[in-house]
Amino acid sequence: MAIEKGKVPTPIPNSKKPVNLFYSLDCEDLALKVAARCDHIILQNIKWRSFADGFPNIYINNAEELRGQHVAFLASFSSPAHVFEQLSVIYALPRLFVASFTLVLPFFPTGSFERMEEEGDVATAFTLARMLSNIPISRGGPTSLVIYDIHALQERFYFGDEVLPLFETGIPLLKQRLSQLPDANNVVIAFPDDGAWKRFHKQFDNFSVVVCNKVREGDKRIVRVKEGNATGHHVVIVDDLVQSGSTLIECQKVLAAHGAAKVSAYVTHGVFPNQSWDRFLHKNESLEKAFTHFWITDSCPLTVKAIGNKAPFEVLSLAGSIANALQI
C-alpha cells in the first residue's frame, strides 16, 4: 500500500487474541459464563483426579498445543482442601512455553489476616502472596494476577515483582443494579466501619453516605452511626466480604432505629462459613423485613451453589468483568 510522504498511516485495529481458559472444578459455572461473554475465550479442560492416598493426579489436556498460546486459569481458593491441587496446575501452565499466563483469583481468601496483633500471629495474607509471587515466568514474562476487592489495600505490596497484580472491583456491578431500582434516587450508601469507608467511598461520590463504627462498652462492641443521615432512605450497606454476618445484622438494626425506610446489603465475597447465609433468608421470621436485598458476586462459587437466588440474595456475576480482564 502506497503511503504519501509526511502522512502517518491509519493503524489497522488488531483483533482480540484467543485466550485458553482453564478452571478449577468449583469455577465451572463461572468459566462457562466468562466464555459466553467473548468469542476469543476458549475453554480448556483438566482431568482432576486423585491417587489412592488422596494426593492429586492431574492431567492438563492439549498441553503440547498450548505452546505460543495465551493461557489463563480461573481459581477458587475458598476451599482450603483444593488449594494445593490448583497451585500445582498454576505452577505448571506457564512452563508449557505459553505466550502469556494470567491467573484470575476473584477472592483472595487470607486477605483479612494481613497483620499481627501480637508476637506469634501468622499473617497468612503475606504467605499466600509469597506463594503466588513464585509462579514461574512464562515465555511472555511475569504472570498477570487478577483479584477482586482485596480486603486491605496495602496487601498489593505483599506481592513480589515476579507477578503483575491487577486489582479489580465488583462495585460497578452494584452501581448498575442500584440504578435499576424503583427507588434509585433515594438510595444512601452505608459503610459498617472506617475500613470499608476507606476502601470504597471514592467509588460512591454521587451518593449520600452513612458511616458506622464499633465502640466498646464493657465487654461488648456496639455498632453506632458515626456520621450521615439514614432517615427515610433506602440504605445499602457495602463491604468487601461477609463471614458470620453479625456486623451486618447489627448495622441493619442501628440504621432501622435511625429511621431507614429500607436496608439492603452488598458484599463482593459471600464467604458465609458454616452456612451462616441461612440466617439472612426471608424464611427466618426475625429477619423477614430486615434486608430488602442482599447482593453478592460469584467470587465464592460454593456459596453461590448453596444459596442460588433465594430471597433476599441476588448474585451479580463477575463474568463480564473477568472477560474484559482477559482481553489481549
Side-chain angles (χ1 to χ4, degrees):
M1 180 178 68
I3 301 173
E4 293 183 41
K5 277 188 176 183
K7 287 194 175 183
V8 178
T10 303
I12 301 173
N14 293 324
S15 59
K16 296 175 183 176
K17 298 179 180 178
V19 176
N20 297 273
L21 178 60
F22 294 87
Y23 52 89
S24 68
L25 287 174
D26 289 341
C27 287
E28 182 175 8
D29 290 343
L30 179 54
L32 290 170
K33 292 178 182 178
V34 171
R37 296 295 184 104
C38 286
D39 293 336
H40 71 285
I41 296 177
I42 305 166
L43 288 186
Q44 298 288 358
N45 294 315
I46 293 174
K47 293 180 181 178
W48 300 97
R49 305 167 300 190
S50 297
F51 291 107
D53 60 3
F55 278 87
N57 176 18
I58 304 167
Y59 182 80
I60 299 172
N61 291 317
N62 304 319
E64 291 186 359
E65 298 176 11
L66 296 177
R67 294 178 181 178
Q69 301 293 314
H70 299 283
V71 174
F73 183 76
L74 178 59
S76 172
F77 287 0
S78 54
S79 173
H82 297 156
V83 172
F84 178 71
E85 63 183 14
Q86 291 180 70
L87 281 175
S88 300
V89 171
I90 290 166
Y91 281 25
L93 285 171
R95 293 182 177 275
L96 296 177
F97 214 63
V98 299
S100 70
F101 179 62
T102 301
L103 171 61
V104 181
L105 181 63
F107 174 46
F108 188 75
T110 59
S112 56
F113 307 102
E114 84 284 7
R115 61 183 182 271
M116 295 173 56
E117 294 185 357
E118 61 178 322
E119 193 67 34
D121 286 341
V122 177
T124 52
F126 183 61
T127 305
L128 183 55
R130 291 178 69 185
M131 293 168 69
L132 297 178
S133 296
N134 281 289
I135 297 173
I137 294 175
S138 68
R139 177 185 177 185
T143 293
S144 299
L145 173 60
V146 182
I147 297 175
Y148 284 81
D149 290 319
I150 198 164
H151 181 69
L153 296 179
Q154 68 268 21
E155 291 177 53
R156 68 182 60 214
F157 303 112
Y158 291 1
F159 297 90
D161 294 336
E162 295 78 12
V163 294
L164 301 174
L166 173 63
F167 297 102
E168 294 281 9
T169 179
I171 296 300
L173 297 174
L174 171 64
K175 292 169 72 173
Q176 181 182 21
R177 184 66 182 91
L178 293 179
S179 70
Q180 299 167 353
L181 296 178
D183 57 351
N185 293 329
N186 194 39
V187 169
V188 167
I189 301 299
F191 300 109
D193 51 40
D194 289 332
W197 178 84
K198 290 177 182 178
R199 282 191 298 275
F200 296 120
H201 78 278
K202 290 185 178 180
Q203 300 186 61
F204 293 100
D205 285 341
N206 297 326
F207 290 83
S208 297
V209 168
V210 174
V211 181
C212 300
N213 67 353
K214 296 177 183 178
V215 296
R216 188 174 296 280
E217 292 186 357
D219 295 333
K220 296 182 180 180
R221 299 189 72 185
I222 308 299
V223 176
R224 291 181 176 175
V225 172
K226 179 181 176 181
E227 59 182 84
N229 178 26
T231 304
H233 295 290
H234 181 177
V235 182
V236 179
I237 306 169
V238 174
D239 209 350
D240 63 316
L241 62 84
V242 58
Q243 296 269 1
S244 68
S246 296
T247 297
L248 291 178
I249 290 172
E250 292 305 312
C251 282
Q252 185 277 329
K253 292 177 181 177
V254 170
L255 292 167
H258 279 71
K262 299 178 185 177
V263 178
S264 295
Y266 165 86
V267 296
T268 302
H269 311 298
V271 184
F272 289 121
N274 302 316
Q275 296 185 328
S276 54
W277 48 264
D278 187 70
R279 65 195 301 195
F280 291 92
L281 295 182
H282 278 179
K283 69 176 184 179
N284 189 331
E285 294 182 2
S286 63
L287 289 174
E288 181 68 37
K289 298 180 180 179
F291 289 89
T292 305
H293 304 281
F294 199 133
W295 294 288
I296 64 173
T297 75
D298 42 6
S299 67
C300 297
L302 297 180
T303 298
V304 172
K305 290 177 182 178
I307 68 173
N309 278 314
K310 300 173 184 174
F313 290 102
E314 181 181 344
V315 178
L316 308 178
S317 182
L318 295 171
S321 178
I322 293 173
N324 289 335
L326 291 178
Q327 290 185 17
I328 297 176

